[in-house]
Amino acid sequence: MSSSPAASEQRPGSGAACTPEAESSEIGADSPRWSSRLWISILIFSGVILLDGLDISMVVVAIPEIRHELGMSAATAQWLVGAYILAFGGFLLLGGRVADLFGRRRVLVLAMAAFAIVSLLGVFADAAAPLIVSRFVKGMAAGFAAPAAMSLLTTTFPEGPQRNKAFGIFNVFEASGYSSGLLVGGLLAGLNWRFIFVLPIPLSVLLLLGALRFLPPDPPRPRRQRLDVGGALTLLAGMLLLVFTVVSTAETGWTSPRTLGGFALSGLLLASFVVIERTVREPLIRLGVFRNRTLVVANIGIALLYGGAMGFQFVLALYLQDLQGWRPWQMALVLLPAGLTVVAVGPGLGALMNRFGVDRVLMVGLVAFLPCYLLMLRIGPEPDLWTVLLPASVLWGVGFAFSIAALMVAGTAGVADEEQGLAAGLLNSSLQIGGAFGLAVVTAAITPGTELSMLRPGLLVILALAILTLSTRFIRTGNRPPTNPD
């Protein structure tokens, strides 16, 4: 991994270099021990991704209560989640590159400040429109915060054993955010749905203060950075339209003029972005980064994996809540073994990847999804906790724990420090778009109705996505390409 050319910057009163490179030197490639500052740093990075998952899953559970109090239709209420996903997925790539160009800690602090302020606005919203707007702005803030946090992780912890260990911990928080959010959101919504907008405020402020106090200042840049405005606008418009089109397919259908037109226009915008990047003097994104086939395959894999995972949760919700009449917090308890599995396995993933290699750990995770989804094909009129649901939950946790961390490690390997934000944005964008796409495909496969047999086509689609994800491991990536700019 190449080092940033920027000079070290001193923290006032510390007497020691505080750049990410200096932080990395505290541990070395093979050191088993981290300093207290490095532990705090990984907790800050992981806390950002936990907050993202926590925020969105709490809102999912609270939608019925919000609809009732604000008089929202079902079509309007779904944008409480859709607006967040739209902004999050749309801004991730731009957010990651902006963090590379203008300072990762700076972007993270500003994003956390915006997250706290907009959460406060959501607490006092008295109509659907301002609440949905606040959700879009929070998604935008998350779209800048997530790649900034992830690229800070990859530039703080050197490639190899230390980064593997860091991603294992990061993955624990990522998975815990969503699973715990369902349970916490159900409890808070039972008191008052506005509490779900209160909780992120102290968490985001705590992360903001922690970043200012414990993360090293952004190193000075060798020259003034210019933003490729044309590239930024076409990339942002293309990504927003692509995510919006995918999210809207559940309502409009895959063959509607609106859907086909959305895909065509988003493709045109992204093609225009590529043309701009090939001709502009200082491109927003160096297109040569896509010659790293390992990065490309990791993005494909994570998109397919998360598409199946989102579809699995959707089908499980239909089965337990619509057909069985369970409450959301009861479904969260079914997924609790998955979350506990991630928490138990995650901290040791770094050691496993060091010993057996990233590819073998990833293969174990991807294979675990197959029996999980096969078990779900056995669901019957009465929930079978002990031989179907709970074993499937544990297998899903194993698959998620092993796969996501390994894909993140693979997707950031061999990428230069100055492009780690871009790599993080790419991976997170693939995850979000893949999740939305998988959910839309599964939704389209399920025949409208409430009979159990109508869920089976959706389960078969999820199983097919798992098989496709596994097949990506047989794509030859060849030797790692050089990471120097063209």
Side-chain angles (χ1 to χ4, degrees):
M1 183 174 63
S2 63
S3 299
S4 171
S8 298
E9 185 174 22
Q10 301 287 326
R11 182 183 294 279
S14 68
C18 293
T19 61
E21 291 82 357
E23 290 279 3
S24 297
S25 68
E26 293 183 27
I27 51 179
D30 301 313
S31 172
R33 298 180 63 84
W34 290 350
S35 68
S36 58
R37 182 179 293 276
L38 285 168
W39 275 110
I40 293 172
S41 296
I42 188 62
L43 290 177
I44 293 171
F45 308 150
S46 302
V48 171
I49 205 70
L50 179 141
L51 181 61
D52 291 340
L54 190 69
D55 187 83
I56 192 170
S57 58
M58 288 194 301
V59 172
V60 169
V61 176
I63 283 178
E65 285 75 13
I66 298 174
R67 281 187 60 194
H68 177 74
E69 182 168 331
L70 299 184
M72 300 169 67
S73 66
T76 301
Q78 65 99 12
W79 282 106
L80 293 171
V81 175
Y84 186 100
I85 294 175
L86 172 63
F88 189 34
F91 278 88
L92 275 167
L93 204 51
L94 179 62
R97 195 60 184 137
V98 167
D100 283 337
L101 294 175
F102 300 106
R104 299 178 179 108
R105 191 185 79 151
R106 183 178 297 113
V107 168
L108 180 61
V109 167
L110 291 174
M112 285 294 96
F115 206 95
I117 293 170
V118 178
S119 293
L120 186 62
L121 295 176
V123 173
F124 298 104
D126 58 359
L131 189 57
I132 291 174
V133 169
S134 75
R135 295 294 297 160
F136 183 88
V137 178
K138 284 182 79 171
M140 183 172 65
F144 282 88
M150 185 170 155
S151 57
L152 278 166
L153 182 153
T154 56
T155 52
T156 298
F157 297 92
E159 187 176 330
Q162 298 304 325
R163 188 180 294 179
N164 296 349
K165 177 180 176 181
F167 265 123
I169 296 169
F170 188 81
N171 187 48
V172 168
F173 282 77
E174 183 175 24
S176 299
Y178 187 86
S179 57
S180 62
L182 292 173
L183 189 56
V184 173
L187 296 174
L188 291 179
L191 300 173
N192 189 312
W193 62 265
R194 294 184 187 274
F195 287 139
I196 68 173
F197 295 100
V198 173
L199 182 60
I201 297 174
L203 294 178
S204 53
V205 169
L206 181 63
L207 291 169
L208 184 156
L209 295 176
L212 289 174
R213 173 66 180 84
F214 294 103
L215 298 186
D218 295 312
R221 296 291 169 176
R223 58 185 175 82
R224 183 180 179 86
Q225 299 292 339
R226 290 185 178 181
L227 183 64
D228 170 17
V229 177
L233 290 176
T234 51
L235 173 64
L236 181 59
M239 291 296 293
L240 284 172
L241 183 57
L242 176 62
V243 177
F244 175 79
T245 303
V246 172
V247 170
S248 300
T249 53
E251 176 186 352
T252 62
W254 286 94
T255 59
S256 70
R258 174 175 153 183
T259 298
L260 297 176
F263 281 130
L265 184 55
S266 63
L268 181 62
L269 286 166
L270 293 174
S272 301
F273 166 74
V274 172
V275 171
I276 291 172
E277 299 309 280
R278 291 177 65 90
T279 57
V280 73
R281 183 175 180 180
E282 296 185 23
L284 180 70
I285 294 176
R286 183 180 66 87
L287 298 179
V289 74
F290 295 103
R291 295 175 190 162
N292 185 333
R293 286 180 287 174
T294 302
L295 181 147
V296 173
V297 171
N299 276 271
I300 295 171
I302 207 168
L304 291 169
L305 184 151
Y306 208 67
M310 290 293 289
F312 167 75
Q313 294 175 40
F314 177 66
V315 170
L316 188 64
L318 288 179
Y319 175 61
L320 293 179
Q321 295 183 50
D322 286 9
L323 299 186
Q324 306 298 333
W326 287 24
R327 299 286 295 168
W329 66 267
Q330 292 175 301
M331 189 187 102
L333 289 178
V334 171
L335 290 173
L336 183 60
L340 293 176
T341 301
V342 174
V343 171
V345 172
L349 278 176
L352 290 174
M353 285 187 278
N354 297 338
R355 181 173 180 180
F356 299 105
V358 175
D359 284 342
R360 289 179 181 174
V361 169
L362 177 56
M363 186 65 73
V364 170
L366 297 182
V367 168
F369 284 112
L370 300 181
C372 168
Y373 298 151
L374 286 170
L375 273 175
M376 287 298 294
L377 289 171
R378 294 178 52 199
I379 55 175
E382 295 296 327
D384 187 340
L385 278 175
W386 300 110
T387 63
V388 175
L389 296 178
L390 294 182
S393 180
V394 171
L395 287 166
W396 194 79
V398 170
F400 200 88
F402 279 67
S403 301
I404 294 293
L407 283 167
M408 292 294 185
V409 169
T412 56
V415 178
D417 276 3
E418 58 268 23
E419 293 180 328
Q420 283 290 336
L422 169 61
L426 280 168
L427 287 165
N428 282 284
S429 295
S430 296
L431 186 146
Q432 293 299 321
I433 294 173
F437 186 85
L439 182 58
V441 173
V442 170
T443 302
I446 296 173
T447 309
T450 58
E451 293 182 9
L452 184 62
S453 61
M454 296 175 180
L455 298 180
R456 193 165 300 277
L459 290 169
L460 292 174
V461 169
I462 295 166
L463 181 60
L465 288 172
I467 294 171
L468 284 174
T469 310
L470 184 60
S471 69
T472 63
R473 302 319 306 153
F474 301 99
I475 298 175
R476 293 180 60 86
T477 56
N479 295 326
R480 185 178 297 166
T483 59
N484 294 328
D486 288 338

